[in-house]
Amino acid sequence: MNMEFVSKLPIPQEIKGQYPLSEEAADIKIARDKEIKKVFSGEDDRMVLIIGPCSADREDAVMEYIGRLRKVQDEVSDKLILIPRIYTNKPRTTGAGYKGMLHSPDPNAQPNLIKGVIATRKIHMRSLNEFGLPSADEMLYPENHRYINDVVAYVAIGARSVENQQHRLTASGLDVPVGMKNPTGGDLSIMMNAITAGHHSHTFIYRGWEVKSSGNPLTHAILRGYVDLGGRAVANYHYEDLRNLGEIYAKSGLENPAVIVDTNHSNSSKMHLEQVRIARDILHSCRQNGEIRKLVKGLMIESYLIDGAQKLSSCGPVYGQSITDPCLGWEKTENLI
């Protein structure tokens, strides 16, 4: 094999032992999980808003962002449940570029996976401990989920991973809502197959064990737009798209039909300011059609302290501005919420 085995990572139990969750924080997580699950089961008519930076590139700026989010949550708790987006693993289409905090806690330093595992757990714990907000992360590496499974309230499976068997089977063994994104080519049948797999029980290999999952009835769709054969971004958040997804769900026979709409990526052609208009458009569709309103459980929005994005550089990076995809700045975010 053409691989250098650099170091053996500690198992999740060891990391959790070094960075344990307090009883108080665990109770907050349980209570918040119940609230979020009720949205996806249809028992609570509030929406969830999975919101935050494209990538969690630095702990201090992300914590400042979540502190601001906490204040807004208190003002909108009758309508919205805010879930901080703390994405610590970044899928890269060509393999090049910043791969997230898990790989490099310091974006300008060499990758260090042990430091990354610890940094990932600590940043998710801080959101819960300091602000009472369990967070969301993308499950890029299914085997790593157990490092943070006790602190994360929502899991997304990305457009490039949704067809992967291990992601689907692992989703079936999680006890929080798991969103399956439509693939980059836009084929909804791939996404629906992943959702179906997530709903059912499976026996498979996970972290060197034979395991049996119970099935996760809160596995659901995420619409994020797609790229057509000509390389053009095509949105799939419109009224007709949502109605079509509802019809597909009805034919599938799956319980808890649900969708989160991603307002960025191919839905906005990565034009981050468009997220405000897109959010309004989705809410308008919900007001026009009761079935769409039942289906749409919330939105996913990329935002940070400062508008836009910057190139990764060692010379004075802008604090609180994305180093990956462009994000909405805080003032626009607060107004949008």
Side-chain angles (χ1 to χ4, degrees):
M1 294 178 69
N2 185 23
M3 295 181 188
E4 176 189 356
F5 286 73
V6 178
S7 61
K8 187 174 177 60
L9 294 177
I11 64 172
Q13 187 177 3
E14 292 172 332
I15 295 295
K16 288 176 178 176
Q18 293 173 33
Y19 302 94
L21 198 59
S22 68
E23 262 188 56
E24 181 184 4
D27 288 343
I28 291 171
K29 170 72 162 54
I30 290 169
R32 195 70 167 174
D33 281 354
K34 287 180 180 177
E35 288 186 279
I36 294 167
K37 288 175 181 178
K38 284 182 178 179
V39 172
F40 284 93
S41 67
E43 300 169 72
D44 189 329
D45 65 358
R46 288 182 291 178
M47 282 189 171
V48 298
L49 200 55
I50 301 151
I51 187 166
C54 174
S55 61
D57 57 335
R58 52 186 294 173
E59 186 175 322
D60 52 357
V62 172
M63 285 302 109
E64 180 176 337
Y65 177 90
I66 296 173
R68 296 184 187 186
L69 208 61
R70 171 75 261 182
K71 294 176 183 177
V72 179
Q73 171 66 101
D74 293 338
E75 298 172 15
V76 299
S77 59
D78 60 326
K79 298 289 185 185
L80 294 173
I81 297 175
L82 305 184
I83 304 176
R85 176 190 162 102
I86 305 179
Y87 276 29
T88 57
N89 328 244
K90 292 302 297 177
R92 312 307 303 191
T93 304
T94 65
Y98 178 58
K99 294 182 176 66
M101 183 177 286
L102 176 68
H103 282 256
S104 306
D106 178 351
N108 290 303
Q110 290 297 309
N112 187 314
L113 273 294
I114 291 178
K115 286 184 178 180
V117 165
I118 292 169
T120 294
R121 180 162 177 82
K122 286 174 68 176
I123 195 170
H124 283 292
M125 284 183 68
R126 284 193 65 187
S127 181
L128 179 56
N129 287 332
E130 296 176 26
F131 303 110
L133 295 176
S135 44
D137 204 342
E138 179 170 341
M139 191 169 70
L140 182 59
Y141 304 111
E143 292 78 9
N144 287 348
H145 180 71
R146 285 187 63 81
Y147 288 112
I148 57 171
N149 69 298
D150 56 338
V151 290
V152 170
Y154 183 91
V155 171
I157 292 180
R160 300 165 189 82
S161 303
V162 71
E163 203 164 359
N164 180 270
Q165 183 81 343
Q166 190 73 355
H167 285 80
R168 294 177 174 192
L169 301 186
T170 303
S172 75
L174 305 189
D175 56 3
V176 296
V178 177
M180 300 283 193
K181 287 197 171 186
N182 65 259
T184 54
D187 186 345
L188 296 189
S189 69
I190 292 173
M191 178 187 73
M192 293 304 298
N193 288 340
I195 295 168
T196 301
H199 274 239
H200 291 90
S201 171
H202 302 277
T203 300
F204 58 103
I205 297 172
Y206 185 72
R207 295 194 60 86
W209 286 73
E210 178 182 341
V211 299
K212 184 176 181 180
S213 63
S214 300
N216 182 354
L218 300 181
T219 308
H220 60 275
I222 301 177
L223 295 180
R224 47 88 74 201
Y226 61 95
V227 177
D228 68 15
L229 295 177
R232 295 176 292 268
V234 181
N236 61 6
Y237 64 84
H238 296 106
Y239 181 93
E240 293 77 12
D241 297 303
L242 297 172
R243 192 172 61 182
N244 177 55
L245 180 61
E247 292 170 357
I248 292 172
Y249 256 118
K251 291 176 183 176
S252 75
L254 292 171
E255 59 179 308
N256 301 325
V259 64
I260 296 290
V261 185
D262 181 346
T263 62
N264 213 11
H265 296 99
S266 291
N267 270 333
S268 69
S269 299
K270 293 192 178 182
M271 293 188 287
H272 62 288
L273 298 179
E274 286 288 283
Q275 293 184 102
V276 177
R277 179 191 61 77
I278 292 166
R280 289 174 175 159
D281 191 287
I282 295 160
L283 292 177
H284 180 70
S285 295
C286 290
R287 286 191 291 268
Q288 296 302 309
N289 186 313
E291 292 303 311
I292 288 177
R293 176 61 189 89
K294 288 179 185 177
L295 181 67
V296 176
K297 303 303 182 182
L299 306 180
M300 187 174 284
I301 292 172
E302 291 190 328
S303 84
Y304 209 178
L305 299 177
I306 304 295
D307 266 324
Q310 60 186 317
K311 290 186 178 179
L312 185 57
S313 146
S314 58
C315 52
V318 177
Y319 175 83
Q321 187 176 49
S322 176
I323 60 173
T324 46
D325 287 349
C327 296
L328 275 183
W330 176 253
E331 184 178 347
K332 295 182 181 70
T333 297
E334 187 174 27
N335 289 336
L336 175 57
I337 296 172

